[in-house]
Amino acid sequence: MSPRIGVLALQGDTREHLAALRAAGAEAVTVRRASEVDAVDALVIPGGESTTMSHLLREFELLEPLRARLADGMPAYGSCAGMILLASEILDAGVVGRDATPLGAIDITVRRNAFGRQVDSFEHDIVFAGLDRPVHAVFIRAPWVERVGPSVQVLAHAADHVVAVRQGRNLATAFHPEMTGDRRVHALFVDIVMGRA
């Protein structure tokens, strides 16, 4: 039976993640309400703008239900802004009251926009632990990981910085695999959800 994986659809590149998850064998659905958080086996938090996404999580009363599901062990995958939100600590979190809010699902400290502004966006082939060949990674105003907790596995580096991690059933990348047509990161997440990885 295919896992039912939600994609948080408040802001960001939702459609691309839905397509990548479906190609990887999951039943992929959008999530915008607390009842929809409860109805999925796992969740993808897409790229976008982390302060805006945090504001919308609060506005739509999703923040606490999402934290509760994550604390109960729901698997999650975050790309770019999703990595920022899944972290336990965010550096340069933004303006108080509209700041990026960590969900605490992965024991990492991330720095927002670490690689620079929009004009500093870049693409690079990176070695990704467990995958058979390099991943073509698209970095757009991307974060990087500055601290990794003892139970966090580092999966990839770019420019000497950690850009992909896994802790238990949670996965995060600083880049956007959904933008390349390479479905291996999403397939890895589906395998994690299914208990195969």
Side-chain angles (χ1 to χ4, degrees), residues 1-7 25-29 31 35-44 69-70 72-77 169-170 189-190 192-195:
M1 188 170 157
S2 298
R4 184 177 173 88
I5 300 180
V7 177
E27 177 191 351
V29 297
V31 169
S35 61
E36 294 169 338
V37 172
D38 291 336
V40 296
D41 301 313
L43 185 71
V44 171
R69 282 294 316 272
L70 291 168
D72 284 345
M74 178 182 68
Y77 165 52
R169 299 175 76 199
N170 296 321
F189 182 56
V190 171
I192 290 169
V193 174
M194 297 289 287

Side-chain angles (χ1 to χ4, degrees), residues 92-180:
D92 302 326
V95 178
V96 174
R98 278 191 49 85
D99 52 345
T101 305
L103 296 169
I106 302 177
D107 185 15
I108 54 174
T109 301
V110 296
R111 182 173 297 279
R112 294 174 69 235
N113 303 328
F115 284 104
R117 300 165 51 103
Q118 189 84 15
V119 295
D120 300 310
S121 300
F122 67 99
E123 300 180 23
H124 186 66
D125 290 339
I126 60 172
V127 174
F128 194 105
L131 298 183
D132 57 345
R133 62 186 189 282
V135 170
H136 186 71
V138 177
F139 294 87
I140 303 171
R141 292 179 60 209
W144 66 48
V145 178
E146 294 213 351
R147 180 196 61 83
V148 175
S151 62
V152 175
Q153 178 187 7
V154 173
L155 300 176
H157 292 83
D160 297 323
H161 297 286
V162 175
V163 296
V165 294
R166 176 181 176 182
Q167 183 176 13
R169 299 175 76 199
N170 296 321
L171 181 68
T173 61
F175 55 91
H176 295 267
E178 75 282 0
M179 297 181 71
T180 66

